[in-house]
Amino acid sequence: RPRVLSGIQPTADSFHFGNYLGALRQWVGLQHDHQPFFFIADLHAITVEQDPKVLRERTLRAAAQLLAMGIDPERSAIFVQSQVPAHAQLGWVLQCLTGFGEARRMTQFKDKSAKGGEGAASVGLFTYPVLQAADILLYRPHFVPVGEDQRQHLELTRDLAQRFNHRYKKTFRLPEPYILKATAKIADLQEPTAKMSKSASSAAGIIDLLDQPSVSAKKIRSAVTDSDNEIRFDREAKPGVSNLLTIYSALTGEGVADLVEQYAGRGYGDLKKDLAEVVVDVVTPFRDKTLELLDDQAHLSEVLRRGAEQAGAVAEATLRDVYQRVGFVAPS
Ligand code: TYM
């Protein structure tokens, strides 16, 4: 079975609909006929300052959300990145293979360091995509299910894999991004030309999976649309309405064209009201299940421990090959 791998940062109390529709739903779907590795990227989280207590809580909340969503520990290795030391270890080797200019071209670093200026950003934030390459290459996956914003990191990953294979010996598989076009970039509800983002969006622009369902419904009803009141899919001219149609279609399985037909001659109010109900039906059981899982932290920790054990075995085998090929003397 082809392998898949992906990760998500534990940097908010809840995942949002961008994470869910752009990536996590694909994780759940790919479990059945693939061999999956899914992890919570806590090493990536500390590239910006985190409160240790909050980071720990959010990591467990992330695990609970993944299980509530349907990630099945019997099918998937679900683990915390810091529990598999090979990620940081391969990260170092790959840093030594990455050009400074190459790292500098990564647009997420430019975006994320824009606020405080480059000087205020950590070196970890700068090398973040190289660690991500290590995360991926350790497992030799065929596919990496992510949203559009990760495409550039996947390209770097392939470049580094190729460079290593060429300089030493064929070691890594070149992974393919698995990006679903329709939901690759879910937009901010208040600023529909920008992506929904836990760091950049306002609270009203994000639908969190763990919001009170009534709050999510209200956010949908207050989403920014345009003033011509015509329901049509056109990302350029009508980004707000198109985003709502995208979310609606993804959650119900109805095609966008069918929805447009269904709402012909009706106003935005109807569309928002119906979508709000669809969203409430999705988030209500999800929220209940997550809160229930969070009540049993011993169980969560045990699931994560087993996941790290499975992942660690695969990752360490790759790292051993890498160390040997680079010329490190193995312990006797
Ligand atoms: P992160 O934690 O920011 O996001 C997790 C996943 O959600 C997707 N996503 C979106 N998709 C569509 N529309 C949006 N508005 C939206 N916002 C977020 C992201 O593309 C991602 O798939 N660097 C990664 C974490 C990571 C990783 C990895 C991923 C670390 N190592 C190895 C894959 C493989 C990140 O920060 O994702």
Side-chain angles (χ1 to χ4, degrees):
R1 286 186 303 166
R3 279 200 187 154
V4 294
L5 168 129
S6 199
I8 185 159
Q9 294 196 67
T11 43
D13 287 335
S14 170
F15 297 149
H16 58 65
F17 264 64
N19 303 135
Y20 176 55
L21 297 177
L24 301 176
R25 227 163 57 129
Q26 284 67 266
W27 296 16
V28 175
L30 287 166
Q31 287 180 111
H32 301 285
D33 38 15
H34 292 73
Q35 188 189 348
F37 296 87
F38 298 129
F39 69 96
I40 301 161
D42 57 348
L43 298 180
H44 279 99
I46 65 161
T47 54
V48 297
E49 191 174 344
Q50 302 291 336
D51 177 321
K53 182 166 172 284
V54 174
L55 178 61
R56 209 166 284 129
E57 274 168 19
R58 286 176 168 174
T59 301
L60 289 174
R61 282 175 87 83
Q65 289 175 83
L66 293 176
L67 297 179
M69 200 171 284
I71 298 296
D72 175 0
E74 300 300 323
R75 293 179 184 274
S76 300
I78 159 170
F79 64 101
V80 176
Q81 188 184 25
S82 63
Q83 292 184 12
V84 181
H87 289 244
Q89 292 169 304
L90 180 62
W92 175 255
V93 175
L94 295 180
Q95 280 184 54
C96 297
L97 235 70
T98 309
F100 206 88
E102 190 174 32
R104 187 178 278 282
R105 280 195 293 280
M106 296 293 122
T107 51
Q108 279 210 343
F109 176 74
K110 293 183 195 164
D111 295 346
K112 289 192 181 174
S113 61
K115 269 186 246 143
E118 215 175 76
S122 70
V123 175
L125 188 64
F126 186 63
T127 59
Y128 175 118
V130 185
L131 177 61
Q132 180 164 349
D135 298 335
I136 297 169
L137 296 177
L138 277 174
Y139 299 90
R140 300 179 167 120
H142 296 74
F143 303 110
V144 182
V146 287
E148 182 61 39
D149 60 352
Q150 299 301 313
R151 189 184 291 279
Q152 195 187 34
H153 294 163
L154 264 293
E155 279 162 15
L156 175 72
T157 302
R158 291 170 60 92
D159 288 346
L160 292 175
Q162 221 157 4
R163 194 169 305 154
F164 187 98
N165 287 350
H166 182 74
R167 185 172 301 183
Y168 301 101
K169 181 177 178 221
K170 187 163 186 325
T171 304
F172 298 124
R173 170 177 284 123
L174 267 54
E176 298 287 342
Y178 184 94
I179 300 176
L180 290 193
K181 198 157 169 265
T183 52
K185 185 180 166 189
I186 299 296
D188 183 317
L189 295 183
Q190 289 299 316
E191 213 184 308
T193 50
K195 73 168 179 181
M196 186 180 287
S197 151
K198 54 197 155 196
S199 52
S201 297
S202 67
I206 294 194
I207 324 173
D208 276 328
L209 293 175
L210 293 177
D211 267 343
Q212 288 280 2
S214 59
V215 171
S216 303
K218 183 147 182 285
K219 287 183 184 177
I220 300 273
R221 288 194 305 264
S222 333
V224 165
T225 37
D226 49 64
S227 56
D228 71 13
N229 216 26
E230 187 196 349
I231 296 177
R232 183 158 69 75
F233 189 83
D234 181 339
R235 278 188 212 272
E236 298 293 315
K238 300 173 77 72
V241 180
S242 302
N243 191 42
L244 296 179
L245 287 167
T246 297
I247 297 173
Y248 201 147
S249 164
L251 293 179
T252 59
E254 290 176 80
V256 167
D258 292 340
L259 289 171
V260 168
E261 202 170 304
Q262 211 174 299
Y263 283 94
R266 294 159 71 190
Y268 296 158
D270 281 0
L271 174 72
K272 289 179 179 175
K273 186 171 143 293
D274 293 350
L275 175 56
E277 279 172 23
V278 169
V279 166
V280 166
D281 287 346
V282 171
V283 295
T284 305
F286 171 79
R287 187 170 185 276
D288 294 346
K289 182 84 195 150
T290 302
L291 297 180
E292 184 190 313
L293 283 157
L294 276 171
D295 272 344
D296 191 351
Q297 304 226 337
H299 170 71
L300 284 178
S301 299
E302 175 57 17
V303 166
L304 294 172
R305 190 194 62 74
R306 271 191 287 136
E309 207 169 86
Q310 286 166 23
V314 174
E316 274 160 34
T318 308
L319 186 73
R320 264 198 305 278
D321 288 350
V322 167
Y323 272 17
Q324 191 266 330
R325 285 158 195 188
V326 166
F328 294 163
V329 173
S332 60

